[in-house]
Each structure stands twice: as C-alpha cells, then as structure tokens.
Amino acid sequence: MKILTLAVMLVISTAVAAQTKAQTTTEVKKAVAVELKGDAAAGAGKVAVCMACHGEKGRMPNSPIYPRLAGQSSEYLKSSLHAYRDGLRQGGMAAMMSPQTATLSDQDIVDIAAYYSQQ
C-alpha cells in the first residue's frame, strides 16, 4: 500500500512540476514579448509563408479551416504564436503551425502580430 501511495504521489508531483514549468516558461516569454515593441512594417516582410494559408494580408484564408488574421488583437496573435512555437498548443492546427513558428524569434512574433492587427 505504501509503495502504491508513493507511486501516486510521484506521478502527481511530476505532473504538477511539468505544468508549473510550462506556466513559468509561458509567463517569462509573455513578459519578454510585452517589453518588445512590434513593428508592422517589419512584420510585413515576415509573413510570406503565412499568406499561403491565411491569404494576402490575412484577410481571405484559402480554406475555411484557416482563421482570418487581419484585425485580430495583437495580444491574441502573440499568445497564439508563442504557444505554437513553444509546443504549448497540441490540438487543432498545431501540426501545421508548430513547424511554421519554430524559428520565429520573440521580435518576429511581435512584428507579425503588429502587422496583422493593423490590417
């Protein structure tokens, strides 16, 4: 019985530690992103790959499964791009988006978010 209890406690503590680490990582990345200023003009030069699915200027996606990015909140876009890049989003379009965002820097993300939020 003691071994079973210890095993359950170990599993729970490991899960809590992993969740805490993910939350801390996300909080740190959000804090860094908040400090960066997005440049929409620079973002315009970083969205060529995005247009393949989301359409020119993010206004007309090429399929109903892709969201319209134009006019979305900059905070929402930054949060989404960080989550895809950092592997925190696993469902839905993560299989498509995670590789697209893997090489984006924090500055790239705030620039892209600024660009699409102003369309």
Side-chain angles (χ1 to χ4, degrees):
M1 183 68 169
K2 287 182 181 181
I3 294 175
L4 178 60
T5 302
L6 289 173
V8 169
M9 289 175 61
L10 178 63
V11 168
I12 290 171
S13 65
T14 302
V16 169
Q19 182 179 11
T20 302
K21 180 181 177 189
Q23 288 172 339
T24 303
T25 300
T26 300
E27 289 168 5
V28 168
K29 291 193 180 288
K30 283 182 181 178
V32 169
V34 169
E35 294 173 12
L36 297 174
K37 180 134 176 92
D39 179 348
K46 300 176 182 181
V47 296
V49 172
C50 307
M51 285 190 260
C53 297
H54 298 284
E56 186 176 354
K57 297 185 179 183
R59 292 184 183 154
M60 295 188 69
N62 297 330
S63 170
I65 65 170
Y66 304 121
R68 178 185 162 111
L69 300 180
Q72 293 283 354
S73 157
S74 178
E75 291 303 313
Y76 167 74
L77 292 166
K78 287 189 284 190
S79 173
S80 295
L81 290 170
H82 276 115
Y84 282 125
R85 182 192 69 186
D86 300 339
L88 300 173
R89 278 202 181 172
Q90 299 296 315
M93 297 302 292
M96 177 73 76
M97 288 298 299
S98 293
Q100 302 302 322
T101 58
T103 60
L104 294 178
S105 69
D106 288 334
Q107 186 64 56
D108 293 335
I109 288 174
V110 296
D111 291 345
I112 290 168
Y115 172 76
Y116 280 123
S117 68
Q118 294 178 19
Q119 296 306 303

